[in-house]
Amino acid sequence: MANSPSGDSMIDRLVRVLASFDPDHQSLGAEEIADRADLPKSTAYRLITDMMRHDLLQRDPTGRIRIGVGMWELSNRASDAVDLASVARPHMMAVHEFVGENTQLGILREREVLIIERMSAPNAVIHRSKTAGRLPAHASSCGLVLLAYAPKHVREAYLRGPLAAITEKTTTDPAELRRMFASIRSHHFAELSGHIDEGTTGITVPVFDAGGLAIAGLGVVIDSEHRKGVPAIMRALRTASARITQDLAAEDTVSTG
């Protein structure tokens, strides 16, 4: 793969173009992409043109550039995350219908939680997580669950990194986070209020694969007034998590049978 004069490969530059887009920047102008991807304008224009030819990028009705349908097609062909979301979706729907708020499924990626499925409602509390969006792991109930069940060396490596405060309630003290991890492993859930968005509470339980490995967090984000009691929400989440695990085990049996 040919390198640029700066030493980065074509793949590096393609990834930076795609990474220019995020939930807050879903459409961009070509010069904005060049700036956000740290590329010369001529290089950015050339890459954008090539990527549009393969439907990796596309123009919206206003002429701005968005992620193209080709990326959606590629990501849906052979992704464990897509398979997991597909298995989880009907059980998430049951939780969503019961709670009437936001229901989401997340996986751990580096220092962030990647939301791979999300369901909401018109009157649900507003919060910042979106499908394909990312949240700091230490500031979200889903991230805390996944870190709590991760190997110790993964947790400790995370705690040695930057622990930014999103709100004044965000826990950034490593010793306190270790205590929270221990509590989560004892009680099998995490509940956080106001750590990412004021006025919201996140409640998450782990989702295990057939081998007992915590592979995702299934949770809700609700108004902190708790329209439904936490114990009832916990029962709904745990029931859904157990059924997702059962369905994953059944799929494994079919695929290896």
Side-chain angles (χ1 to χ4, degrees), residues 79-138:
S79 168
D80 289 344
V82 171
D83 290 343
L84 174 58
S86 178
V87 170
R89 198 168 292 122
H91 306 298
M92 292 180 65
M93 182 62 71
V95 174
H96 176 61
E97 290 176 351
F98 173 73
V99 177
E101 285 270 9
N102 306 283
T103 305
Q104 58 193 29
L105 186 73
I107 58 177
L108 194 61
R109 286 295 181 265
E110 300 295 334
R111 297 185 60 80
E112 297 174 308
V113 169
L114 172 63
I115 305 300
I116 62 173
E117 184 62 278
R118 179 175 178 267
M119 299 172 182
S120 190
N123 61 342
V125 64
I126 296 174
H127 66 111
R128 71 183 67 194
S129 67
K130 299 178 180 179
T131 303
R134 293 177 180 248
L135 300 170
H138 68 283

Side-chain angles (χ1 to χ4, degrees), residues 26-124:
Q26 296 185 23
S27 64
L28 296 166
E31 292 191 5
E32 291 176 291
I33 293 174
D35 289 342
R36 290 173 64 83
D38 192 23
L39 291 171
K41 289 185 175 63
S42 59
T43 301
Y45 281 113
R46 185 171 63 253
L47 287 175
I48 290 167
T49 300
D50 289 344
M51 294 171 77
M52 289 178 65
R53 190 165 61 249
H54 293 283
D55 286 333
L56 301 180
L57 297 176
Q58 65 186 42
R59 290 194 184 275
D60 66 16
T62 69
R64 290 172 66 78
I65 300 163
R66 302 175 65 94
I67 296 293
V69 70
M71 281 298 300
W72 178 85
E73 292 177 314
L74 289 172
S75 66
N76 277 274
R77 287 178 184 172
S79 168
D80 289 344
V82 171
D83 290 343
L84 174 58
S86 178
V87 170
R89 198 168 292 122
H91 306 298
M92 292 180 65
M93 182 62 71
V95 174
H96 176 61
E97 290 176 351
F98 173 73
V99 177
E101 285 270 9
N102 306 283
T103 305
Q104 58 193 29
L105 186 73
I107 58 177
L108 194 61
R109 286 295 181 265
E110 300 295 334
R111 297 185 60 80
E112 297 174 308
V113 169
L114 172 63
I115 305 300
I116 62 173
E117 184 62 278
R118 179 175 178 267
M119 299 172 182
S120 190
N123 61 342

Side-chain angles (χ1 to χ4, degrees), residues 160-229:
R160 288 194 295 271
L163 300 170
I166 310 303
T167 73
E168 62 180 15
K169 294 184 178 180
T170 306
T171 302
T172 58
D173 175 50
E176 178 58 27
L177 285 168
R178 289 188 187 96
R179 287 191 286 271
M180 293 169 73
F181 294 150
S183 176
I184 290 167
R185 291 193 298 272
S186 294
H187 298 94
H188 311 297
F189 79 99
E191 179 181 354
L192 291 182
S193 295
H195 283 228
I196 286 185
D197 293 294
E198 296 287 352
T200 68
T201 294
I203 306 169
T204 300
V205 301
V207 175
F208 299 97
D209 65 10
L213 179 69
I215 56 172
L218 172 64
V220 298
V221 179
I222 62 175
D223 190 299
S224 292
E225 295 296 322
H226 297 323
R227 297 178 187 175
K228 289 189 181 290

